[in-house]
Amino acid sequence: MTTLKARLAQGEFIGAPGVFDMISAKLADRTSAPALYVTGYGTVASHLGLPDAGLATYSQMLERIQTICEGVSKPVIADADTGYGGLLNVRHTVRGYEKAGVAAIQIEDQQFPKKCGHTPQRQVVPTAEMVQKIRVASDARSRDDFLIVARTDARSGLGLDEALRRGEAYVRAGADILFIESPESREELQIIGRSFDVPLLANMVHGGKTPLLSQDELTAHGFQVAIYPSIGFLAVGHALAEAYAAVVAQQPIPVGLYDFPAFHELMGFPDVWAFERLYAESPQPSQGEIHAR
């Protein structure tokens, strides 16, 4: 498998659909997408039923991220919020994510508890504090193909100029990919794109603050990575709401359903059946043979 770092070095555009559980991960893994993005919002929502507001712990997130990494073939970019604490926590988080099989870890400069980047009242830490986190993250990794995604949330509260200044500082500190969260216009995306010569990440949140651009448009503006964190859980939420309402009302299901035999195959039942056929052919020992042993 070609690494995420190698794909970026070759100039490939990385469009990563958001996944949040193993069903979404397996389905996304079957597409032609070059990478997957484990969304913190979706993972916290699906596991805890809570808002993306710093409520999930490092261990809760790591367990789910590791399961996803083990169950897919594509490189995984994973949300790590603020690094789950101070500098020592950041080092621990980077090592844990790397060991879990993550290809790129995303760390942001919000104050704890953090909030979703497309919700209000977010506060950021001083630039120097985030710079130290990036330095620690860069030093903590053991593989040079494990990438650090530095995200700044300064645009919403402090303006685009401050976000650009922070971006420059984070790149100097060792960030491999720069993520300036929630620009609010095409013009702001263009400014960001021409301000840096490192891989830039665009957060394409359906229903969010940033305009949704095609990958060709993002490439033209200077971006090389796009994540789509909300598309999966919004699609699932809509489909389930429609289907459950129809079942309760005893009405025809208004949404398409995944073919049940095909879902068996997606979940790996053919391997189970093959295993059972193989070992069902082996004669079982009699009670006397068991006692003789």
Side-chain angles (χ1 to χ4, degrees), residues 100-288:
V102 169
I105 185 172
Q106 173 195 309
I107 302 174
E108 62 202 52
D109 62 2
Q110 282 195 56
Q111 291 182 7
F112 182 85
K114 60 85 50 151
K115 299 180 181 69
C116 168
H118 289 253
T119 58
Q121 300 177 359
R122 287 169 290 135
Q123 304 294 323
V124 293
V125 299
T127 302
E129 182 176 332
M130 180 61 173
V131 164
Q132 281 293 83
K133 284 189 174 185
I134 297 168
R135 288 173 176 164
V136 167
S138 181
D139 289 344
R141 55 187 166 183
S142 61
R143 303 193 323 263
D144 64 2
D145 62 353
F146 181 79
L147 305 179
I148 310 298
V149 181
R151 166 177 148 179
T152 178
D153 284 65
R155 162 63 188 91
S156 296
L158 302 177
L160 182 60
D161 287 345
E162 175 62 16
L164 295 174
R165 282 191 289 270
R166 284 172 176 253
E168 292 173 359
Y170 300 166
V171 171
R172 289 196 300 271
D176 302 292
I177 301 171
L178 182 60
F179 175 1
I180 294 182
E181 177 63 296
S182 58
E184 298 182 6
S185 68
R186 182 185 295 268
E187 290 70 31
E188 290 190 0
L189 287 165
Q190 291 172 337
I191 292 170
I192 294 167
R194 62 173 178 257
S195 297
F196 302 95
D197 58 2
V198 297
L200 296 173
L201 184 152
N203 192 10
M204 297 286 97
V205 177
H206 290 74
K209 295 183 176 183
T210 303
L212 298 176
L213 273 59
S214 71
Q215 293 185 5
D216 286 343
E217 290 175 305
L218 289 171
T219 299
H221 293 332
F223 289 83
Q224 198 176 351
V225 183
I227 57 174
Y228 304 86
S230 65
I231 186 65
F233 60 77
L234 291 180
V236 167
H238 176 76
L240 288 180
E242 295 272 316
Y244 289 159
V247 167
V248 172
Q250 294 295 288
Q251 298 293 325
I253 306 300
V255 295
L257 297 179
Y258 204 91
D259 180 72
F260 199 27
F263 204 83
H264 293 334
E265 193 273 332
L266 177 70
M267 291 296 110
F269 266 106
D271 177 66
V272 174
W273 298 329
F275 177 89
E276 291 173 341
R277 285 194 300 270
L278 175 64
Y279 288 96
E281 296 173 358
S282 301
Q284 298 298 313
S286 68
Q287 205 62 23

Side-chain angles (χ1 to χ4, degrees), residues 34-54:
L36 307 179
Y37 176 72
V38 179
T39 158
Y41 189 120
T43 303
V44 174
S46 63
H47 173 53
L48 300 176
L50 293 172
D52 183 21

Side-chain angles (χ1 to χ4, degrees), residues 61-104:
M61 290 296 292
L62 182 66
E63 179 182 359
R64 277 139 199 88
I65 289 167
Q66 181 172 350
T67 301
I68 289 172
C69 288
E70 290 173 350
V72 302
S73 61
K74 299 182 187 299
V76 170
I77 305 167
D79 187 357
D81 290 350
T82 63
Y84 304 103
L87 297 179
L88 192 61
N89 301 87
V90 170
R91 185 180 73 171
H92 185 64
T93 297
V94 167
R95 290 176 175 176
Y97 273 47
E98 185 181 34
K99 185 177 180 180
V102 169

Side-chain angles (χ1 to χ4, degrees), residues 4-20:
L4 186 63
K5 182 177 182 178
R7 288 176 179 272
L8 290 170
Q10 293 164 6
E12 181 176 348
F13 188 94
I14 305 298
V19 301
F20 52 90

